[in-house]
Amino acid sequence: MSSKLKQFLAASGPFWGLLFVFMLFAVLSPQAFTSFYNLKTIFTQSVIIGIAALGMTFVIISRGIDLSVGSQIALGTVVTAVLLNMGGGGWWPAVGALGGILACAAVGAIAAFFITRFGVAPFIVTLGTMQIARGAAKWIGSEQTVPTDDNWLQALMLIDPEPGWLVFAPGIWIALLLLLVSAIALRYTIFGRYVYAIGSNEETARLCGVRVDLMKIIIYTLCGVFTGIAAIMQYSYLTIGDPTSAVGLELDIIAAVVIGGASLNGGEGTAIGSFIGALIMAVLRNGCNMLGVPNFVQEIIIGAIIVGAVMIDQQKHRLKS
């Protein structure tokens, strides 16, 4: 088998996995699962994890990890809701959304500062910022949900959008735009090359003149920005700020990136692969719900897929070495 064919099969693996899962549920529940409304539902359900997974892709490719993204999403919803209640209509919701995004970006930047300045492992630092962000969300929200008046942010996750010519929820179009930007940034920019270089061999990248510490701060802050946008989508879905939401969601986000072909050893991964990973998880959950499969079985299936993806990645590295 030629090297180009091997590369093609490896790169297209997540797509074939998505096609297999989709066809499986299409056979088991053909009418309900393949209806256009359900397809729109699946895409909408993948938006939050998909957007956050795009940010996580940059972190994992650079051989890092961020366990705080679930708590960041909760913090983003609360900050957005609190700011919304301070203002009025018109463009004020944009101010609330910007505040939520900046709050998440700040958490990412703080984590990166401790990782680079003190050399603490990303796993430990982000485990701490996960608790800090969750505590901050509860403090700002006075340990309760924060209701808001109706506003246009709440329409971002409508399965049947208005105006109807959008066909899909506005959040889907935002996710696709972010996917395009991420794919271009990783593949065609110097920034993307630096991200891969740091993940492949940090010391070599440093010797080649890459400002590794600055790059890590940018990468984690960028992940926070993507997570903040995902928080806006979470707020739109819930229509409230909830400091207890998104518990454990960081595992789903990391899983989407891994299922999408990124390596936890760094240096490998794509934006499209991560988004396909989010779609695979959305299809699995949607299909299992239609078939009446209990939640604990769904968790077991997704867990097995994650383990399988990691084992395949480890096998690839053994073959290369």
Side-chain angles (χ1 to χ4, degrees), residues 238-308:
L238 298 175
T239 69
I240 57 172
D242 187 356
T244 64
S245 67
V247 174
L249 196 64
E250 60 276 351
L251 300 180
D252 286 349
I253 293 166
I254 295 170
V257 180
V258 173
I259 292 172
S263 173
L264 292 175
N265 292 316
E268 295 180 15
T270 62
I272 183 65
S274 297
F275 202 82
I276 290 176
L279 278 172
I280 289 174
M281 296 182 66
V283 169
L284 277 170
R285 293 189 186 280
N286 183 275
C288 287
N289 287 334
M290 285 202 164
L291 295 175
V293 178
N295 285 333
F296 70 87
V297 177
Q298 298 180 34
E299 299 297 334
I300 292 172
I301 293 172
I302 292 174
I305 292 174
I306 295 169
V307 172

Side-chain angles (χ1 to χ4, degrees), residues 37-315:
Y37 183 83
N38 191 57
L39 293 179
K40 294 201 297 182
T41 301
I42 291 173
F43 279 115
T44 305
Q45 290 172 340
S46 68
V47 165
I48 296 171
I49 293 177
I51 292 176
L54 291 175
M56 185 66 72
T57 302
F58 289 89
V59 173
I60 289 181
I61 290 176
S62 67
R63 205 170 188 175
I65 198 77
D66 192 343
L67 299 177
S68 69
V69 288
S71 297
Q72 286 184 40
I73 288 175
L75 175 62
T77 65
V78 172
V79 170
T80 298
V82 169
L83 288 174
L84 284 171
N85 289 335
M86 291 181 179
W91 285 100
W92 185 259
V95 176
L98 180 61
I101 293 170
L102 290 177
C104 295
V107 175
I110 291 169
F113 172 78
F114 282 98
I115 290 169
T116 56
R117 180 66 177 82
F118 300 102
V120 185
F123 179 89
I124 300 300
V125 173
T126 59
L127 187 63
T129 54
M130 176 177 71
Q131 297 298 323
I132 292 170
R134 182 69 64 179
K138 292 179 179 179
W139 170 53
I140 295 171
S142 301
E143 297 193 68
Q144 58 187 350
T145 58
V146 183
T148 62
D149 294 332
D150 293 342
N151 60 83
W152 53 265
L153 287 178
Q154 296 175 347
L156 294 176
M157 293 288 280
L158 292 178
I159 297 175
D160 290 322
E162 294 182 3
W165 55 262
L166 285 172
V167 183
F168 296 101
I172 295 176
W173 297 112
I174 294 173
L176 291 176
L177 177 61
L178 294 173
L179 171 60
L180 178 62
V181 171
S182 301
I184 292 174
L186 282 171
R187 188 173 179 85
Y188 298 108
T189 68
I190 295 175
F191 171 74
R193 292 171 188 170
Y194 284 174
V195 172
Y196 282 106
I198 293 170
S200 298
N201 193 313
E202 183 176 321
E203 288 307 313
T204 300
R206 198 185 302 274
L207 291 172
C208 290
V210 178
R211 300 176 66 181
V212 173
D213 289 351
L214 176 61
M215 281 295 300
K216 286 186 176 180
I217 291 174
I218 294 173
I219 288 168
Y220 278 87
T221 304
L222 181 63
C223 180
V225 170
F226 276 88
T227 306
I229 298 172
I232 303 307
M233 301 304 160
Q234 178 81 342
Y235 163 78
S236 177
Y237 178 74
L238 298 175
T239 69
I240 57 172
D242 187 356
T244 64
S245 67
V247 174
L249 196 64
E250 60 276 351
L251 300 180
D252 286 349
I253 293 166
I254 295 170
V257 180
V258 173
I259 292 172
S263 173
L264 292 175
N265 292 316
E268 295 180 15
T270 62
I272 183 65
S274 297
F275 202 82
I276 290 176
L279 278 172
I280 289 174
M281 296 182 66
V283 169
L284 277 170
R285 293 189 186 280
N286 183 275
C288 287
N289 287 334
M290 285 202 164
L291 295 175
V293 178
N295 285 333
F296 70 87
V297 177
Q298 298 180 34
E299 299 297 334
I300 292 172
I301 293 172
I302 292 174
I305 292 174
I306 295 169
V307 172
V310 173
M311 289 177 63
I312 292 171
D313 176 62
Q314 293 296 325
Q315 186 62 28

